Amino acid sequence: MTTLRTNPDTAQKLSIAQILETVADGRIPLRFTAYDGSATGPEDASYGLHLNSARGTTYLATAPGDLGMARAYVSGDLEAVGVHPGDPYEILKAMSNLQFQRPSPTKIAAITRSLGWDLLRPIAPPPQEHLPRWRRFAEGLRHSKTRDAEVIHHHYDVSNAFYEMVLGPSMTYTCATYESEDQSLEDAQENKYRLVFEKLGLQEGDRLLDIGCGWGSMVRYAARRGVKVIGVTLSRAQAEWAQKAIAEEGLSELAEVRYSDYRDVYETGFDAISSIGLTEHIGVQNYPAYFGFMKSKLREGGRLFNHCITRPDNRSGAKAGGFIDRYVFPDGELTGSGRIISEIQNVGLEVRHEENLREHYQLTLAGWCRNLVENWDACVAEVGEGTAKVWGLYMAGSRLGFERNVVQLHQVLAVKLGPNGEAHVPLRPWWKG
């Protein structure tokens, strides 16, 4: 440390850096500087944080934890030093070793006295922040059709041009499947769709329902191989982009992407259903209805493929943290793969295979961050610096989460049995891994 710890029991006013030292539990692993001229942490640290305004202090003090940090960072009041804003992975990795302790009442009093009440009054968050959960009831009950449409709009209708720059030509916002760590993002995404197609055992002339189809990449992949596909998304921008891409490829006779809630699909008797990256938005309490709906849409012997982010256990709470809930996936919920498998089994589908692709999502997120860095100026021009920083922070933080086993990515394959238990599947896995 480069500053001396001060006894907070005295009446001496603490600097911003001294306040950080007071609440830190152990060594501060990066360089911290503040607008009041104070500093702490190793002078030779590769990465650092600079708090450049009193407003940033208010954000940090009134929402301790990831939400306050995100507010200060997105607003530009907290600067990351030594990393590009499109990929702050390295500084987040360094910060993961920064631990905090709850100060004693005496220390809290000293901190309050040092900051003053003006800095401790809550202020409006950055415009990129969604309403808190308790205020979203105006948009409908959680996971009602109205509210689901609103939260999907918040995340996915940012800008198709922005997503084109970040995701690349595949326009795929879900985990890729890598054959090696040096495989390109585009090849790995193509490999993912190949894997889904083969696990579902799709053949020319089959009928596929792709729920939460995004920009229609799985829809078009299957249609190119003669499969008749309906995709549904709650993002109007995605549906318009996908329909245009379908027409440009000459696939309109086989493929369709609807701007629709999946619950409004009236067709039935599908040979297969894919749900790639949607379960996170459904709500854990709605799993029985969700998987029951899909079972009702399958023919006997039809297969269900579910691909989603999960927690590493089945005990943790489902709700997302403050930053994710307010800035990225409002109303999003995660649970363990065991809960998902149980719910699929409980509606009467038979689970035939599951696998964890946690490391594959690390690689995918690193690829998206590289794209954001390479296209930073254009992305900022398209959506604004604050929004671009939200995506860099989210993707880099998620990469670290998959690396540290905070979250996982599971694929589950199930089948709707015939009346006498017929599964109509080969004895051993029939796809290339």
Side-chain angles (χ1 to χ4, degrees), residues 124-345:
Q128 292 80 12
E129 184 169 319
H130 202 282
L131 296 173
R133 283 177 180 251
W134 66 270
R135 288 188 60 190
R136 294 179 204 153
F137 282 106
E139 298 159 359
L141 295 174
R142 190 155 54 97
H143 299 299
S144 66
K145 291 182 181 180
T146 300
R147 186 158 156 182
D148 279 354
E150 169 57 30
V151 297
I152 291 297
H153 167 76
H154 173 83
H155 186 81
Y156 292 102
D157 289 350
V158 174
S159 160
N160 283 337
F162 173 76
Y163 280 114
E164 286 173 356
M165 289 183 279
V166 174
L167 303 180
S170 73
M171 282 298 274
T172 299
Y173 199 15
T174 50
C175 176
T177 304
Y178 287 79
E179 294 184 339
S180 65
E181 291 188 3
D182 58 359
Q183 187 176 28
S184 72
L185 174 62
E186 286 305 307
D187 287 347
Q189 290 291 14
E190 181 77 4
N191 190 45
K192 185 264 298 294
Y193 289 123
R194 188 270 313 162
L195 182 62
V196 176
F197 191 91
E198 291 182 2
K199 282 186 174 182
L200 287 172
L202 289 166
Q203 303 290 330
E204 184 176 352
D206 282 351
R207 297 172 62 234
L208 169 67
L209 173 61
D210 188 30
I211 298 178
C213 67
W215 290 272
S217 297
M218 181 66 204
V219 170
R220 287 179 287 122
Y221 182 96
R224 292 183 202 116
R225 290 154 180 81
V227 174
K228 300 175 183 178
V229 195
I230 295 173
V232 291
T233 174
L234 279 175
S235 165
R236 186 184 299 275
Q238 286 183 334
E240 292 174 351
W241 192 100
Q243 280 295 94
K244 181 180 177 182
I246 287 169
E248 289 175 350
E249 286 197 47
L251 299 171
S252 298
E253 293 296 317
L254 290 169
E256 174 191 3
V257 168
R258 298 175 184 170
Y259 170 52
S260 169
D261 191 288
Y262 74 89
R263 288 164 284 197
D264 293 330
V265 174
Y266 60 87
E267 293 91 344
T268 189
F270 289 95
D271 298 287
I273 298 177
S274 53
S275 172
I276 306 174
L278 180 64
T279 315
E280 300 91 331
H281 298 290
I282 295 298
V284 174
Q285 295 304 314
N286 295 317
Y287 284 179
Y290 180 58
F291 292 121
F293 169 86
M294 289 191 279
K295 179 187 177 186
S296 73
K297 296 296 179 179
L298 286 170
R299 65 165 174 80
E300 291 180 0
R303 299 173 190 173
L304 164 68
F305 176 90
N306 193 78
H307 165 121
C308 71
I309 301 170
T310 71
R311 298 203 186 281
D313 61 66
N314 300 288
R315 300 182 303 274
S316 302
K319 291 181 180 179
F323 167 61
I324 296 295
D325 184 62
R326 300 284 190 91
Y327 284 87
V328 186
F329 293 117
D331 289 349
E333 294 183 348
L334 299 180
T335 189
S337 59
R339 175 72 180 273
I340 292 170
I341 290 172
S342 293
E343 297 290 1
I344 292 174
Q345 292 172 327

